[in-house]
């Protein structure tokens, strides 16, 4: 059990946030730094909020080492909005390649097909998305506008550890569930987007990091004003009232990560705590990890027992012991422990100990 009677929350999202950040937010919720009001109440056009927004962007740029030729956008909505915004804004020739590695890349494909041709040059559907396909020599047409990946698939617990060879074409990545969990060379991407409810902050917003040359004036007339990346870039994400609360909370998390060693230190912490759970699963005769070892996610650990009935029994026993949200996604079943940045190593150790004792029984 954590402080304040909080449980160990293994939800895939909305997910756990650092307690230190939540304490800081709680202290400011009624009166933000002498302003006499909450961030939830203040004008997005005020100097106070402008400072919050600017600080959040500056800290994210420092944290990721974002080059000057990239814009940072805070856009309302989560992944479902970005599934459409990406092809709306980037399909210039009308063709894109999507690597199919799980439910979230699958969901992005039909959205993109509304705006052009989608080619799937590689897929791991043949094994229920338990691995990342070899993408070292993809067949990518010359007129391809971009190559799209979901860098961490939360449902099946697999992640990219080597980026695909895009043959010089723009790489677009959905980083939602591993965003800020490890260092990232932003210059290798044309566009990175991340829904923030998994590894950063509250639901309702995405961060988009986009190279300036991809901001287009020549979009089709049907693209709504709000869904144009260039509009957000020209207005510093203040074209309309943004999700002020989410920007404020995310800014707190960005600062927290900087104060705790940056992404290199966070990656080391994530590797250590994931090893605790995977090492247990690899030695178990009752529980089995489902993802290929070389493609395992450090954020979402999916595993199963010998039957659906036993899966359900373990989930119920775990909940009674204070381990919440271990039920796997409805589409695949089983169990899933999401161990994002904010999950302490002690929480993973406690879960592994619980599962070890359960197996002995």
């Amino acid at each position: 059990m954590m402080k304040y009677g909080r449980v160990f929350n293994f939800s895939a999202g909305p997910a756990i946030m650092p307690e230190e950040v939540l304490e800081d937010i709680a202290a400011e919720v009624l009166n933000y730094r002498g302003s006499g009001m909450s961030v939830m109440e203040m004008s997005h056009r005020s100097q106070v909020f402008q400072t919050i927004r600017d600080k959040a962007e500056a800290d994210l740029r420092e944290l990721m080492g974002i080059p000057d030729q990239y814009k940072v956008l805070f856009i309302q909505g989560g992944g479902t909005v970005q599934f459409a915004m990406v092809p709306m804004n980037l399909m210039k020739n009308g063709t894109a390649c999507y690597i199919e590695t799980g439910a979230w890349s699958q969901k992005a494909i039909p959205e993109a097909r509304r705006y052009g041709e989608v080619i799937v040059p590689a897929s791991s559907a043949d094994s229920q998305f338990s691995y990342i396909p070899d993408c070292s020599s993809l067949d990518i047409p010359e007129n391809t506008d971009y190559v799209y990946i979901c860098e961490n698939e939360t449902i099946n617990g697999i992640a990219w550890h080597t980026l695909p060879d895009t043959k010089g074409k723009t790489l677009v990545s959905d980083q939602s569930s591993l965003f800020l969990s490890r260092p990232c060379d932003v210059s290798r991407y044309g566009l990175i987007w991340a829904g923030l409810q998994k590894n950063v902050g509250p639901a309702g917003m995405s961060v988009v990091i986009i190279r300036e040359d991809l901001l287009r004036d020549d979009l089709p007339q049907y693209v709504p004003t709000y869904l144009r990346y260039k509009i957000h870039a020209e207005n510093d994400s203040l074209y309309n009232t943004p999700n002020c609360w989410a920007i404020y909370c995310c800014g707190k998390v960005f600062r927290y990560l900087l104060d705790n060693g940056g992404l290199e230190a966070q990656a080391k912490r994530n590797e250590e705590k994931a090893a605790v759970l995977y090492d247990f699963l690899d030695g178990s005769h009752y529980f089995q990890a489902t993802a290929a070892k070389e493609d395992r996610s450090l954020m979402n650990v999916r595993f199963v027992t010998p039957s659906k009935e036993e899966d359900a029994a373990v989930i119920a026993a775990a909940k009674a012991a204070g381990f919440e949200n271990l039920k796997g996604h409805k589409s695949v079943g089983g169990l899933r422990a999401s161990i994002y940045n904010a999950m302490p190593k002690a929480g993973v150790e406690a879960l592994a100990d619980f599962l070890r004792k359960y197996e002995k029984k």
Side-chain angles (χ1 to χ4, degrees):
M1 189 73 71
M2 303 173 75
K3 289 193 295 183
Y4 312 110
R6 286 163 55 81
V7 298
F8 287 121
N9 176 17
F10 293 93
S11 171
I16 186 173
M17 290 179 64
E19 284 188 351
E20 183 179 319
V21 169
L22 293 176
E23 289 172 339
D24 195 15
I25 291 170
E28 295 179 339
V29 72
L30 288 175
N31 184 350
Y32 176 75
R33 301 188 181 181
S35 67
M37 66 188 86
S38 171
V39 174
M40 287 185 280
E41 301 171 307
M42 65 180 56
S43 168
H44 65 294
R45 303 293 182 191
S46 68
Q47 185 57 53
V48 178
F49 182 74
Q50 184 72 51
T51 300
I52 291 171
R53 196 219 74 86
D54 291 350
K55 177 64 172 170
E57 178 179 338
D59 284 348
L60 180 60
R61 284 186 174 276
E62 180 182 352
L63 192 59
M64 296 185 72
I66 299 174
D68 291 342
Q69 67 268 30
Y70 286 76
K71 292 290 188 180
V72 174
L73 314 176
F74 299 108
I75 300 178
Q76 293 189 53
T80 304
V81 173
Q82 293 307 312
F83 291 160
M85 280 190 77
V86 167
M88 277 183 176
N89 284 266
L90 300 191
M91 270 195 177
K92 194 170 185 177
N93 298 320
T95 301
C97 289
Y98 278 61
I99 313 301
E100 186 184 48
T101 54
W104 299 116
S105 48
Q106 272 192 319
K107 286 181 180 294
I109 290 170
E111 284 299 302
R113 283 183 171 145
R114 296 175 185 271
Y115 309 105
E117 180 185 9
V118 172
I119 296 167
V120 180
S123 171
S124 55
D126 60 343
S127 71
Q128 299 180 318
F129 302 117
S130 63
Y131 71 99
I132 298 293
D134 180 6
C135 294
S136 59
S137 183
L138 296 173
D139 184 11
I140 299 175
E142 184 57 36
N143 66 337
T144 297
D145 290 307
Y146 62 90
V147 177
Y148 182 102
I149 64 172
C150 176
E151 209 159 331
N152 187 92
E153 292 277 7
T154 59
I155 291 177
N156 297 88
I158 59 173
W160 291 75
H161 299 296
T162 301
L163 294 178
D165 180 358
T166 65
K167 307 292 178 64
K169 302 301 181 182
T170 296
L171 176 62
V172 175
S173 177
D174 166 7
Q175 283 194 2
S176 297
S177 49
L178 56 63
F179 190 56
L180 304 184
S181 67
R182 63 188 187 187
C184 174
D185 182 355
V186 175
S187 67
R188 299 188 66 185
Y189 304 80
L191 185 152
I192 295 168
W193 70 264
L196 299 181
Q197 74 276 15
K198 295 179 181 293
N199 209 24
V200 182
M205 189 180 76
S206 294
V207 165
V208 174
I209 302 167
I210 182 171
R211 203 173 60 229
E212 289 181 349
D213 64 286
L214 297 175
L215 299 170
R216 293 171 55 197
D217 286 315
D218 60 340
L219 294 178
Q221 285 298 308
Y222 64 73
V223 180
T225 301
Y226 188 79
L227 298 184
R228 296 170 180 246
Y229 290 130
K230 190 167 186 179
I231 288 292
H232 294 278
E234 290 175 340
N235 291 276
D236 292 330
S237 302
L238 294 170
Y239 173 75
N240 69 330
T241 307
N243 189 332
C244 299
W245 181 251
I247 293 172
Y248 161 74
C249 293
C250 291
K252 294 285 188 184
V253 173
F254 301 156
R255 188 70 248 169
Y256 170 83
L257 289 170
L258 283 168
D259 290 343
N260 285 273
L263 299 188
E264 291 80 5
Q266 186 59 53
K268 184 177 180 181
R269 290 191 289 269
N270 288 333
E271 290 165 3
E272 289 175 350
K273 67 187 181 188
V276 170
L277 190 49
Y278 281 124
D279 286 350
F280 161 72
L281 292 172
D282 288 342
S284 173
H285 298 290
Y286 182 71
F287 297 101
Q288 179 183 356
T290 60
K293 281 190 176 184
E294 63 273 18
D295 299 320
R296 286 173 172 175
S297 168
L298 301 186
M299 299 286 97
N300 311 99
V301 181
R302 182 171 181 262
F303 56 104
V304 295
T305 70
S307 71
K308 293 180 180 179
E309 293 73 22
E310 290 171 272
D311 289 345
V314 175
I315 293 165
K319 182 177 177 65
F323 302 98
E324 289 281 350
N325 295 307
L326 284 170
K327 185 177 181 180
H329 192 271
K330 60 185 179 181
S331 64
V332 295
L335 298 96
R336 174 178 55 178
S338 293
I339 52 175
Y340 297 124
N341 283 355
M343 174 58 67
K345 187 178 180 181
V348 182
E349 290 172 335
L351 176 61
D353 187 56
F354 168 81
L355 296 174
R356 187 177 294 107
K357 291 176 179 177
Y358 189 95
E359 179 173 3
K360 287 182 179 178
K361 287 200 300 181

